Amino acid sequence: MNAGASGFRLSTHGILLRGMLFGKIPNTARTMRALRRNVRSIAPMFLKHLECSACGLEHESSRLQNLCRSCNKPLFAIVDLVAASRTLQRERLRTRDKSLWCYREVLPLPSHVDPVSLGEGGTPLLRAEKLADDVDLWIKDESLNPTQSFKARGMSAAVSMAKYLGATRLAVPSAGNAGSALAAYAARAGLEAHVFMPRDTPRANVVECRELEAHVTLIDGLITDCAAEIARHKAKEGWFDMSTLKEPYRIEGKKTLGYELAEQLNWQLPDVILYPTGGGTGLIGMWKAFDEMETLGWIAKKRPRMFAVQAAGCAPITRAFEAGAKTALEFSNARTIASGLRVPKAIGDFLILDILRKSNGGAVAIKDEEMIRVGREVGAKEGLFVCPEGAACFAALKLLRRDKTIAAGQRVVIFNTGSGIKYLEAY
Ligand SMILES: Cc1ncc(COP(=O)(O)O)c(C=O)c1O
Ligand SMILES: [Zn+2]
């Protein structure tokens, strides 16, 4: 923040406040509004700018925008970590409310603005003993979020920013859970939600979106067709496109998965992370969080081996990883009951593949029958009714243990990204 400017604003604020206290300026609504405006301008702002994840081009963060204006790739929020560290200290996190907004200084919303929140984040990290397969296995159970999935994290951050920057009509293509989360946060914010989902999206998501008063359009096609439909109409309809990684702040909410995990493991990252990957936003977000935390001096250099877990019926990242490619081809005839993994083409493919390789991780694909079989086993042995996407990670662990890609004794974290209750047709 510009010190000269803030000094001037501070003195204006002081004059107003003193004038009110000593009765020289009447305590009217107008004076209060002026005061509030001043609080706004002196409140610290930790978001510096947006930066293209591919070409590095800087974009200012003060307006609504989607992709890089030069190369059309995702934009990342760059936070002033030096400024953030003045008030955000890892030892003091426990004194803050249990919510992802406890990492407020590294999140994009200016500190004077109230987030659009439904109590997201702060989910449990559970030890799994019966399914551990000779590893030190932990489950990050994201089904306890509002609307029962980790999509709440991204939408809390993104809807907060969209509202702050003046959007009123929000649109999203969704495999199901992102639609539900947008519907909930938009309702909370008093904004319009327009959700485009494939016709065969789990019924729970469709009903939930409608009950939350979102405008729901069912499309005969995949999430990519839903995205294309939004792209065709958004300018005319005045919709702000909330597609994952096509707007810069859902990833900021998702990166708190990484902050929380580090905090829950006492600032020692695990050896391995298994993440059910569709668009890859959580995986990319966690990687960003690890870099930020290292800069903050919160964690060491060591990174977990990151594994993308996909469905055999839609595995563009697994195929590209195995082929040694830098980007992924669109996966044709995508079919899987794990609707969140039915993403035939991810805009962040190059980022996901880079992380998998840099971390000495990998990518695996799991058949639907195996997801359901292992999902039942997780329920019976650990007491969690996991989503098929989460179940796929448990199946992936079996596979990676069998071929010794993951050695015995390693600390492994599985993300159960949502609740099985949303997938009654599949179970
Ligand atoms: C339950 C569930 N798990 C995983 C995913 C994939 O998430 P990401 O886009 O971060 O890869 C989704 C996306 O819809 C989902 O709903
Ligand atoms: Zn660019």
Side-chain angles (χ1 to χ4, degrees):
M1 190 170 62
N2 179 319
S6 71
F8 170 74
R9 285 165 188 153
L10 195 58
S11 58
T12 313
H13 187 77
I15 292 164
L16 279 169
L17 197 61
R18 231 171 294 140
M20 258 173 61
L21 286 175
F22 294 107
K24 289 184 189 142
I25 300 175
N27 184 355
T28 60
R30 219 166 116 219
T31 318
M32 288 310 287
R33 269 202 303 276
L35 259 174
R36 238 177 273 130
R37 250 197 323 274
N38 269 289
V39 169
R40 215 170 289 159
S41 54
I42 59 175
M45 177 86 184
F46 300 103
L47 175 60
K48 289 203 287 192
H49 58 262
L50 300 174
E51 194 174 286
C52 176
S53 57
C55 76
L57 186 68
E58 244 182 59
H59 294 60
E60 51 160 293
S61 58
S62 56
R63 61 188 177 81
L64 284 169
Q65 59 201 312
N66 291 107
L67 295 168
C68 170
R69 67 171 173 270
S70 166
C71 73
N72 256 359
K73 295 286 189 233
L75 296 174
F76 283 176
I78 305 300
V79 179
D80 184 344
L81 294 170
V82 174
S85 69
R86 289 191 196 112
T87 46
L88 184 69
Q89 278 125 26
R90 65 177 207 186
E91 295 73 22
R92 300 233 294 262
L93 283 169
R94 252 178 244 144
T95 62
R96 297 188 173 191
D97 284 349
K98 210 166 133 219
S99 144
L100 64 79
W101 292 100
C102 73
Y103 308 105
R104 183 80 204 222
E105 289 89 337
V106 292
L107 292 173
L109 195 68
S111 49
H112 67 274
V113 183
D114 286 334
V116 182
S117 175
L118 289 161
E120 51 293 324
T123 57
L125 182 69
L126 306 167
R127 186 89 197 276
E129 281 174 3
K130 298 197 195 102
L131 277 173
D133 209 357
D134 289 334
V135 297
D136 177 20
L137 181 61
W138 296 80
I139 308 166
K140 181 77 173 147
D141 188 13
E142 287 292 298
S143 69
L144 276 88
N145 276 301
T147 67
Q148 294 80 51
S149 94
F150 74 148
K151 296 282 171 182
R153 292 181 186 264
M155 285 303 181
S156 177
V159 172
S160 295
M161 282 303 283
K163 181 175 183 180
Y164 167 63
L165 294 172
T168 54
R169 314 182 83 200
L170 311 177
V172 79
S174 170
N177 288 317
S180 294
L182 178 69
Y185 286 92
R188 185 83 167 167
L191 306 178
E192 260 180 39
H194 296 263
V195 180
F196 290 73
M197 296 187 278
R199 191 168 299 283
D200 52 359
T201 294
R203 195 172 128 70
N205 292 121
V206 178
V207 174
E208 186 175 29
C209 286
R210 288 192 177 132
E211 291 302 314
L212 289 162
E213 289 234 300
H215 301 260
V216 176
T217 308
L218 299 178
I219 299 279
D220 292 312
L222 297 168
I223 189 167
T224 35
D225 301 301
C226 298
E229 186 68 8
I230 291 177
R232 267 193 292 279
H233 298 287
K234 65 182 180 186
K236 179 170 56 82
E237 298 288 346
W239 295 334
F240 180 61
D241 189 345
M242 301 283 279
S243 302
T244 197
L245 287 174
K246 287 189 191 160
E247 95 46 80
Y249 302 115
R250 281 175 66 180
I251 185 176
E252 290 300 293
K254 288 261 192 99
K255 83 180 178 189
T256 60
L257 287 169
Y259 276 90
E260 258 177 46
L261 185 62
E263 189 182 346
Q264 287 170 312
L265 291 175
N266 206 16
W267 311 106
Q268 305 283 326
L269 296 181
D271 299 306
V272 175
I273 284 179
L274 302 179
Y275 179 83
T277 305
T281 314
L283 191 120
I284 301 166
M286 275 193 271
W287 197 254
K288 183 173 188 282
F290 298 156
D291 284 349
E292 289 177 2
M293 284 189 285
E294 189 186 338
T295 306
L296 286 165
W298 290 11
I299 59 165
K301 253 196 155 32
K302 183 195 158 216
R303 297 286 183 271
R305 296 173 71 197
M306 307 290 281
F307 286 85
V309 180
Q310 300 207 292
C314 181
I317 299 295
T318 311
R319 262 193 195 163
F321 183 82
E322 284 167 0
K326 285 196 169 152
T327 56
L329 294 172
E330 180 154 352
F331 199 95
S332 46
N333 300 321
R335 276 176 73 90
T336 169
I337 48 151
S339 48
L341 305 184
R342 207 166 36 160
V343 181
K345 174 82 185 151
I347 187 167
D349 55 356
F350 68 105
L351 298 166
I352 303 170
L353 287 160
D354 189 44
I355 293 167
L356 303 183
R357 293 199 175 104
K358 264 197 199 133
S359 72
N360 188 29
V364 288
I366 305 294
K367 289 202 175 103
D368 281 9
E369 309 83 77
E370 182 68 354
M371 284 181 214
I372 294 302
R373 195 186 66 71
V374 175
R376 289 209 174 101
E377 198 184 336
V378 178
K381 293 190 174 158
E382 303 290 353
L384 292 172
F385 186 19
V386 296
C387 59
E389 294 85 347
C393 294
F394 288 89
L397 175 63
K398 286 179 193 283
L399 211 88
L400 295 167
R401 282 289 297 124
R402 211 177 308 136
D403 70 10
K404 305 235 171 6
T405 305
I406 298 176
Q410 296 271 286
R411 175 166 282 181
V412 179
V413 173
I414 279 178
F415 282 84
N416 175 45
T417 42
S419 171
I421 210 87
K422 290 279 175 78
Y423 297 80
L424 296 182
E425 300 96 327
Y427 278 103

